[in-house]
Amino acid sequence: MTRPGRDDVPDRLYTLTGGRSRPTGDTALDLVTLIVAECEPRPGMQSEHAAILRMCRLPTAVVEIAADLRLPVSITRVLLSDLLAAHRISARHPRPPVPCESFPDSDLLEQVLVGLRRI
């Protein structure tokens, strides 16, 4: 069984990224980073770039884009970094988890619950 993207001829993947194996710039695009198109595809664009812009009219995760394009995530990140550098997309990183220290003390929460029950 062949796997789309992974079993492609390496020449095709090399051509898609212009020989690059890593994204340009310092933007970290993890699997759950949401990508949003900032413009419509333009004539003469690389077909994968145009496809990304069409599918990202609504926020779409990097991993979903890779699956829809049937490309490895590493290649998809390179393509996304091109669009990000050209300001054609924006990336919304997931919010970091809230540290436990910022949650209220459990004793305080229990006192509030008792107070609410008395009302």
Side-chain angles (χ1 to χ4, degrees):
M1 178 176 166
T2 61
R3 296 175 299 176
R6 293 183 182 266
D7 294 328
D8 285 347
V9 179
D11 296 344
R12 176 177 178 264
L13 300 178
Y14 181 88
T15 303
L16 287 177
T17 62
R20 293 169 292 139
S21 61
R22 296 180 191 266
T24 55
D26 58 351
T27 303
L29 297 171
D30 57 10
L31 296 176
V32 295
T33 299
L34 296 176
I35 305 297
V36 180
E38 296 294 333
C39 66
E40 291 295 319
R42 295 187 182 155
M45 274 185 127
Q46 183 175 338
S47 62
E48 289 78 13
H49 286 154
I52 290 169
L53 291 177
R54 281 191 297 276
M55 76 177 68
C56 292
R57 289 182 178 129
L58 297 174
T60 309
V62 170
V63 70
E64 291 178 76
I65 296 167
D68 285 347
L69 292 176
R70 302 180 77 146
L71 291 172
V73 173
S74 59
I75 301 299
T76 303
R77 285 181 178 148
V78 173
L79 297 173
L80 290 172
S81 72
D82 294 343
L83 291 171
L84 198 57
H87 304 288
R88 296 177 190 237
I89 61 169
S90 59
R92 297 180 185 172
H93 300 283
R95 294 181 183 169
V98 178
C100 293
E101 299 86 43
S102 67
F103 290 127
D105 182 42
S106 60
D107 291 333
L108 175 63
L109 290 176
E110 188 173 342
Q111 290 173 4
V112 170
L113 181 60
V114 169
L116 288 172
R117 285 184 180 156
R118 288 184 182 167
I119 294 178

